[in-house]
Amino acid sequence: MKATEVPAIAGAFLFEPSPHTDPRGFFSRTFDADVLRSVGVDPNAFVQDSVSRSARGVLRGLHLRSGDGEAKLVRCSYGRIFDVVVDLRPDSPTYRHHATFELSDTTQVTLYVPAGCAHGFQALTDPADVSYRIDRPHDPAEDVTIAHDDPELAIPWPLPATSMSPRDREAPGLAVALKQMGR
């Protein structure tokens, strides 16, 4: 497994596995504590695993947590997604920058999203399964959502959004969300 720094988001990494393939399919390591440690990520910090399934065009996000934030490892275990990270850490050299990625089941690449960054994705296939490994137990009182179509962010979503949760559809723009978080 190889770790590659994401230049547009300070502290973000892509973890690219080396799948073993044969006529039966493939076998791939998707988590390696030593590789995480090698780039300064504590593998023991992760306390919760979750998975979502989305139909093509479904848009989830942009989400983050207030307070101490939430670091996560994100991987598309089935299908393909357009993934977005927005750096909202005021002291970061990449503050308010965003980066986009295509994550898929064929590559099994894992994205490390540092705490204090917003995250969202859009399903490009039907279905798309996304696996998350999160470093804090979920507390709904800390949930923050930012409008996916905020013009200040200008995220180039590849498809029209076919479905969104009410929370995502009614999310405030970036300026309002930052004010809610005291930033």
Side-chain angles (χ1 to χ4, degrees), residues 33-174:
D34 290 337
V35 175
L36 268 69
R37 274 190 211 94
S38 76
V39 296
V41 176
D42 179 5
N44 298 318
F46 296 95
V47 299
Q48 209 170 61
D49 282 359
S50 301
V51 66
S52 69
R53 172 166 284 172
S54 302
R56 185 176 191 272
V58 167
L59 200 144
R60 296 182 185 259
L62 300 162
H63 302 147
L64 74 154
R65 302 248 323 260
S66 61
D68 292 332
E70 168 184 85
K72 58 179 101 171
L73 294 167
V74 180
R75 180 173 57 87
C76 183
S77 54
Y78 185 85
R80 289 183 308 120
I81 64 169
F82 176 81
D83 200 271
V84 179
V85 177
V86 182
D87 190 344
L88 297 176
R89 301 167 293 171
D91 296 336
S92 171
T94 55
Y95 181 56
R96 293 194 182 204
H97 291 198
H98 74 269
T100 64
F101 312 90
E102 185 173 297
L103 302 180
S104 73
D105 59 4
T106 57
T107 65
Q108 295 292 318
V109 169
T110 298
L111 170 65
Y112 174 71
V113 181
C117 292
H119 175 258
F121 70 88
Q122 184 173 44
L124 300 176
T125 56
D126 188 19
D129 291 349
V130 177
S131 301
Y132 308 84
R133 183 165 276 186
I134 302 164
D135 75 341
R136 291 181 52 217
H138 182 249
D139 180 354
E142 294 180 331
D143 287 348
V144 176
T145 305
I146 299 166
H148 75 285
D149 57 355
D150 185 291
E152 183 178 343
L153 296 173
I155 295 168
W157 299 101
L159 303 172
T162 59
S163 182
M164 297 172 66
S165 70
R167 174 182 147 203
D168 290 347
R169 193 173 27 264
E170 299 161 10
L174 177 61

